[in-house]
Amino acid sequence: MFSFSPLVSYLLSPLLLLLLLSIFGVELAAATTTKIGNGYRLISIEESPNGGLVGHLQVKQKNHIYGPDIPHLQLYVKHETENRLRVHITDAEKQRWEVPYNLLPREQPPSLKQTIGRSRKNPITASEYAGSELIFSYTTDPFGFAVKRRSDSQTLFNSSSDQSDPYGEMVFKDQYLEISTTLPSDASLYGLGENTQPHGIKLYPNDPYTLYTTDVSAINLNTDLYGSHPVYMDLRNVGGEAYAHAVLLLNSNGMDVFYRGSSLTYKVIGGVFDFYFFSGPTPLAVVDQYTAFIGRPAPMPYWALGFHQCRWGYHNLSVVEDVVENYRKAKIPLDVIWNDDDHMDGHKDFTLNPKNYPRPKLLAFLEKIHSQGMKYIVIIDPGIGVNSTYGVYQRGLANDAFIKYEGKPYLAQVWPGAVNFPDFLNPKTVEWWGDEIRRFHELVPVDGLWIDMNEASNFCSGLCTIPEGKICPNGTGPGWICCLDCKNITKTRWDDPPYKINASGLEVPVGYKTIATSAYHYNGVLEYDAHSLYGFSQSIATHKALLGLEGKRPFILSRSTFVGSGHYAAHWTGDNQGTWENLKYSISTMLNFGLFGVPMVGSDICGFYPQPTEELCNRWIELGAFYPFSRDHANYYSPRQELYQWETVAKSARNALGMRYKLLPYLYTLNYEAHINGAPIARPLFFSFPNFTKGYGLSTQFLLGSSLMVSPVLEQGKSEVKALFPPGTWYSLFDMTQAIVSKEGHYLSLDAPLHVINVHLYQNTIIPMQQGGMISKEARMTPFSLIVTFPMGATKGEAKGKLFLDDDELPEMKLGNGYSTYIEFYATVSQGMVKVWSEVQEGKFALEKGWIIEKVTVLGLKGIGGAFAMEVDGNQVVDTSNVEFSATEHKYTEKLEEGGDKRKNVMVDIKGLELPLGKKFAMSWKMGIKG
């Protein structure tokens, strides 16, 4: 759903916003170059009892720009793991706001005042503090620090400055913190979201990067959007070798980050400096280390990887029933049907509209779709309607569950009209919220929850009261116009901080269209500090509630996110537009969230508003079928855009989603890998090809897992696509006889008529597939096939793959519980023999399900010979009379380069197999040579 801001943004965007940004540009440019203060000097440093370093910093020369300097700071440095270094700087005399340790569990730094006026028991004289992979060094006057990687001696971060630098020394005031680092100009940076990046996934010098959770439509470029992720990955190529690391500033306050290409400066309006450095050195290792710290991505139920349909404007239950039936008639796969707030009584959370969604009929509908394996999800907004007859509100008041302003629940306006916002930092609120979800689930057995508007979004600003003598809202006109009586709040430094971050791309007040920043949470925590944690804390409370319902694996979709949100929730990229530009931008945002540890992500397919063209919707479902989270969603005011509305789109959907449903075991295994080691489901090409520098800025293609490359059409009127192929052999997934042999790595134009999406599988890979179906429950029980890829014509090679299977309703996704199986597949070609085999861990679950492999397809062989042999569980299979071999000659999408191998290479199909997936198998045969 959207609020006031998408329409306002739509009217402003993009030209007017760019014009306004250019007006503010003078001030922004000044902000990037002004030097404030002379920094701090390190006056003592010693070992701390827990193995780190503790230092005392003293300001060199005070000034009052953006407020007085904090005179004494405590420095704490610790190598927390072999590949993670923490550098924490705070006020040495007073406790400061930090991201709560119960929300994001981590080590506590030493207590304050350890460093002032006490004897030095373990003074440090060396200026380096080395761990196994990262080295911390410092200078004393002015204080600066650097972080190096031991293995390649690269300086990853260096906060010292000199006169020629466009930034100054470290600044630490109550409401203004500044620190910078030099960067090599050829470093490629990624992250710092959430925003829509017009230049692609790589951070672009001098683009604004503001982090402050805001309900601003995703069509706005270079603007702080729904989430705050103050982390970046830095990828460098040194002498042909790639090295990656990441830097996290764990801080929830609003901030501007200025990236100039050769340096990066943070300007933060509160909190502390709490830096974490992750050494890598590969992109995958970086995300592994990062998610080990912030929380591994949540396991998803199997059905969540199916296709989802939603719309704001399904006015009654019969419309929803028609949508499900029309998908069935069109033979387009569908797993989950959603309701925006149409099911609610007067837009109130946890209610049903008795007229349009009568409970008996809704329950009958749910019983029907649940019996087929389909699921149902509804929206929940955080604002609770102020209404004396509304039980949810009354119970919330009784539990003191709401955010306060001057002793009363803070009043705002969202869809129900006047609302109060739950305070998810309050343990009692979390209990009350869980109880309301339990009550609602008893009313309607939903299968997941969609938490929206949780930046938090407010249709009004300031201090508001309910107007006397008029109905608000009155039911006419758009529901996002403020109708409360409101006055601006500017009397506190929290509402009007001395430094203005570039909020909403226009330096709007930090309390604009959200909760007043001088409102307060549990224990007096200011909204000013906790603002960007709102969606994160709601995700945690909602996850806890769903987990407690039936002990099933929760599914939550959240619009607002923070560091660690992926541990609890999936994300969609918010209110996008049905345009070709937004189609393209969706790839960069999706890839960014993989870096942020939120791998279950996707954009509204065909655009949220306004209506897409038929051609655009064709291309969008072709791309969207390969988003990790694949959902069509549209706005109340847009015409209907379900995939069956156009026959051409239905055809493209059957093609692309048909392949997605065959790939579900592969996607589910990627979900398992994400949960175990953080690996993004959708990832940039440089994850698999880090030394291939042409791929560093590539934002129009992506990988699913390590080896499946998606190359969509992103421009109007095109029937071909220019795709970059890293070196090696690539096989078309839709026609595996088609191959591309890329010697050095180059672009190639591929045919892409209206119904075609180009997807290619890389060499040295084994992927499991099934036969697909109209719903994941069906597709999951079909026989398996394995696709094995070798480099074209290889006489020696190896391939690997894996498969994870489990009872996807169990909360935990792991081995060892008796309800899961993990299989590793291997294949080699060597000395004229081809071998394919598996290693099985805990095969009992797969055997009980009766899953079998019926077919193995091997790509890139020189030929096929005889001497076929097969064994299962180490026992020779004597009767192989049902096994059929066939060979099909490979075709080349381009001519082989001069001197290339002109011999005929083949795809070999081995059919008629009945290999139990839960037992290890091995098969081998002579390759033979075809002239």
Side-chain angles (χ1 to χ4, degrees), residues 47-67:
E47 287 183 24
S48 69
N50 68 352
L53 299 182
V54 178
H56 175 202
L57 304 174
Q58 190 173 54
V59 70
K60 285 172 61 94
Q61 185 178 345
K62 295 181 180 179
N63 67 53
H64 282 78
I65 303 170
Y66 301 137

Side-chain angles (χ1 to χ4, degrees), residues 23 102 230 324 442 525 713 717 729 906:
I23 292 168
N102 63 327
V324 172
E442 289 174 0
V525 168
V713 172
T729 305
V906 295

Side-chain angles (χ1 to χ4, degrees), residues 174-229:
D174 190 26
Q175 288 182 270
Y176 182 79
L177 286 68
E178 180 183 321
I179 196 167
S180 302
T181 179
T182 52
L183 291 167
S185 56
D186 60 348
S188 296
L189 267 61
Y190 312 87
L192 297 179
E194 176 180 10
N195 61 17
T196 300
Q197 297 174 193
H199 297 107
I201 188 173
K202 262 177 73 168
L203 298 189
Y204 194 77
N206 302 317
D207 272 358
Y209 295 97
T210 299
L211 281 70
Y212 189 72
T213 62
T214 307
D215 175 12
V216 173
S217 165
I219 70 173
N220 293 293
L221 309 181
N222 292 326
T223 300
D224 46 311
L225 297 180
Y226 313 106
S228 176
H229 295 271

Side-chain angles (χ1 to χ4, degrees), residues 642-658:
E642 292 84 6
L643 303 178
Y644 54 77
Q645 296 288 348
W646 300 273
E647 183 45 46
T648 63
V649 176
K651 184 176 177 182
S652 293
R654 284 189 289 270
N655 187 44
L657 288 173

Side-chain angles (χ1 to χ4, degrees), residues 847-885:
L847 289 172
E848 286 174 351
K849 290 290 183 183
W851 281 311
I852 62 160
I853 299 169
E854 68 164 13
K855 179 181 169 187
V856 174
T857 300
V858 186
L859 309 180
L861 294 178
K862 282 187 171 297
I864 183 170
F868 181 75
M870 185 164 64
E871 58 182 51
V872 174
D873 257 356
N875 301 313
Q876 184 87 18
V877 177
V878 179
D879 182 8
T880 58
S881 58
N882 290 330
V883 177
E884 298 175 27
F885 272 77

